[in-house]
Amino acid sequence: MQTVGHSEHTLKTALISKNPELVKQYEQLDPGEQRLLNEAFRPHSDLFGPITLHSPSDWIISHPEAPQDFEQFFSNLHRKSPSPGKQTIYIQCIGQILTFLKKKKPEDAFCVVGVTMIDLYPRDSWNFVFGQASLTEGVGIFSFARYGTDFYSSHYKGKLKKLERKSSSDYSVFDDYYLPEATSVLLLRSCKTLTHEIGHIFGLRHCQWLACLMQGSNHLEEADRRPLDLCPICLRKLQSAVGFRLRDRYKALVRWIDAESTDTPRVTPKHSREELVTLPKPVEAFKEWKEWVTRCLAVLQK
């Protein structure tokens, strides 16, 4: 295992910047928010750790790219921010991909994110991706396909007898397609990918500073190692783009986990799309994350 290490000075600069205006902006945050964000460069922080690499196939090794600090994010003229008329995030179940989303994007949408059960391959030279987003168009897509426990044991060889050209509105090709059981682990994995892709639409690039939701992932094991929340550097980017108090954010996340949802429909492999089963929201896999969020709140509220 290899650790991606950065000096305290490098992390501090990536978070706060050397630009006097951005430093002033940071100093105007309330003391609790500064205290939490400063965990980014505190040695041996128990809230935010370094990125670890476990194999040559991990994202940073396979897809080298320049890191993005807060100043680069803030100065990006092409990044999108919500506005009074465009502040809704739509989630759309689809079979087609980004061009479909662009055509179906409502006027008041900040972005539209599609959810599909189809494996995603953005280009022939890549293996699959869990999700993909277009910053300029405000659209993204992510797939549940590989999140079920029985995906790799499913076989479709021989089921397609001949190639057929279908219209873009004909979804019959997906009838009886593989549907995973909606487990707690699937919900956790899906939340990670969905929020990661929306982060890209807000202008956040892949994180190379600390263990973070915005890390790239090249395979399921790497995606599972990725935390559900943002490191302080990426958290400051999102806060700058959206505008929220960190305390309110973390309290809302705890409320979401604790809320007893008894009307969440679930489709399992034993049921058709017309036979939705109502089950409690499965959040068992979120237990450690809730404990982490609670510790962050304790730092904010000192």
Side-chain angles (χ1 to χ4, degrees), residues 4 6 10-11 14 51 67-69 207-211 231 233 237:
V4 180
H6 299 284
T10 298
L11 292 172
I51 296 172
Q68 179 196 50
D69 59 23
C207 182
Q208 301 186 51
W209 303 110
L210 295 162
C231 76
I233 296 166
K237 295 174 188 177

Side-chain angles (χ1 to χ4, degrees), residues 174-235:
F174 302 123
D175 289 347
D176 300 319
Y177 193 77
Y178 163 76
L179 288 172
E181 184 179 3
T183 64
S184 178
V185 172
L186 183 141
L187 180 61
L188 176 63
R189 289 169 170 170
S190 301
C191 285
K192 286 182 181 182
T193 302
L194 177 62
T195 49
H196 176 99
E197 296 308 324
I198 292 175
H200 282 318
I201 295 173
F202 278 113
L204 280 71
R205 298 211 302 260
H206 285 127
C207 182
Q208 301 186 51
W209 303 110
L210 295 162
C212 179
L213 173 71
M214 292 309 299
Q215 286 175 239
S217 59
N218 215 29
H219 46 80
L220 188 57
E221 292 82 1
E222 187 176 22
D224 283 343
R225 291 197 302 268
R226 182 174 62 187
L228 181 56
D229 217 275
L230 300 169
C231 76
I233 296 166
C234 292
L235 182 58

Side-chain angles (χ1 to χ4, degrees), residues 214-264:
M214 292 309 299
Q215 286 175 239
S217 59
N218 215 29
H219 46 80
L220 188 57
E221 292 82 1
E222 187 176 22
D224 283 343
R225 291 197 302 268
R226 182 174 62 187
L228 181 56
D229 217 275
L230 300 169
C231 76
I233 296 166
C234 292
L235 182 58
R236 189 187 178 196
K237 295 174 188 177
L238 186 64
Q239 185 188 41
S240 173
V242 181
F244 55 80
R245 292 176 62 84
L246 300 187
R247 185 181 294 105
D248 295 340
R249 167 186 164 84
Y250 287 127
K251 285 183 176 180
L253 291 171
V254 172
R255 285 196 302 272
W256 178 81
I257 297 173
D258 288 342
E260 288 295 333
S261 175
T262 57
D263 57 354
T264 303

Side-chain angles (χ1 to χ4, degrees), residues 131-200:
Q132 190 179 9
S134 168
L135 169 61
T136 55
E137 301 294 349
V139 294
I141 179 75
F142 86 96
S143 171
F144 281 110
R146 293 175 182 257
Y147 287 163
T149 56
D150 54 349
F151 174 82
Y152 292 96
S153 63
S154 301
H155 299 284
Y156 299 93
K157 185 177 180 180
K159 291 191 176 183
L160 182 64
K161 303 302 180 183
K162 63 178 181 178
L163 293 176
E164 297 181 26
R165 184 177 295 277
K166 300 284 187 179
S167 72
S168 60
S169 59
D170 183 358
Y171 294 98
S172 62
V173 68
F174 302 123
D175 289 347
D176 300 319
Y177 193 77
Y178 163 76
L179 288 172
E181 184 179 3
T183 64
S184 178
V185 172
L186 183 141
L187 180 61
L188 176 63
R189 289 169 170 170
S190 301
C191 285
K192 286 182 181 182
T193 302
L194 177 62
T195 49
H196 176 99
E197 296 308 324
I198 292 175
H200 282 318

